[in-house]
Amino acid sequence: MHKYIVFTAVALFAGLAFSGPALAQEPVERGSITIELASNSVDNRNFDFDFDPGADFSLRDNHSVVRDGLRNRTYTVRFNEPGYQVVDIDCTGDAESDVHRDLRNGTIEIELNNHEDIECVVEIDREDEPTPTPSPTATPVPPTPTPT
């Protein structure tokens, strides 16, 4: 009878050793990305953005969206509105994150680390309308007299 009691006690002790505080992990603090829209336009409308990975969103001028609880990975935000262009992207926040801005394509790529918070202001304006080039017009040439 004593053999069974000792075996049970060892098995219970071993189970506590593997599931005790030594294996507990600290909670991972998640990061956040905030995008604010600043427009030079008088249009009071929503402008579309792609957010990858995640759900796309729309913003009005001087409004922002916050994506929080984000894991450490690379996120891409792209302005996606025909007829408008990104003229400036200003990002602030934790220095550990790498932020790559591409004005021409209206893209921000953020390599977010845990517990970091990045805020970016995207300034847009209407695309410049191409100036029409006048087409040359033919100047009438007076007829030359023919000798008789």
Side-chain angles (χ1 to χ4, degrees), residues 45-85:
R45 54 178 287 241
N46 286 327
F47 294 93
D48 295 331
F49 288 81
D50 299 331
F51 188 81
D52 184 37
D56 299 343
F57 58 91
S58 296
L59 285 176
R60 286 187 183 275
D61 192 14
N62 295 316
H63 286 80
S64 62
V65 66
V66 178
R67 297 295 166 97
D68 56 3
L70 301 176
R71 299 173 187 246
N72 65 332
R73 66 175 302 159
T74 301
Y75 294 89
T76 303
V77 180
R78 185 170 72 88
F79 178 70
N80 186 15
E81 192 69 43
Y84 292 83
Q85 63 187 354

Side-chain angles (χ1 to χ4, degrees), residues 92-99 111 113 116-118:
T92 59
D94 298 317
E96 293 178 36
S97 289
D98 288 326
V99 178
E111 295 175 27
N113 293 309
E116 292 184 328
D117 300 309
I118 301 296

Side-chain angles (χ1 to χ4, degrees), residues 113-136:
N113 293 309
N114 287 332
H115 75 273
E116 292 184 328
D117 300 309
I118 301 296
E119 301 89 27
C120 294
V121 177
V122 178
E123 186 178 343
I124 64 169
D125 202 353
R126 289 183 182 271
E127 287 183 343
D128 293 330
E129 294 290 327
T131 306
T133 307
S135 37

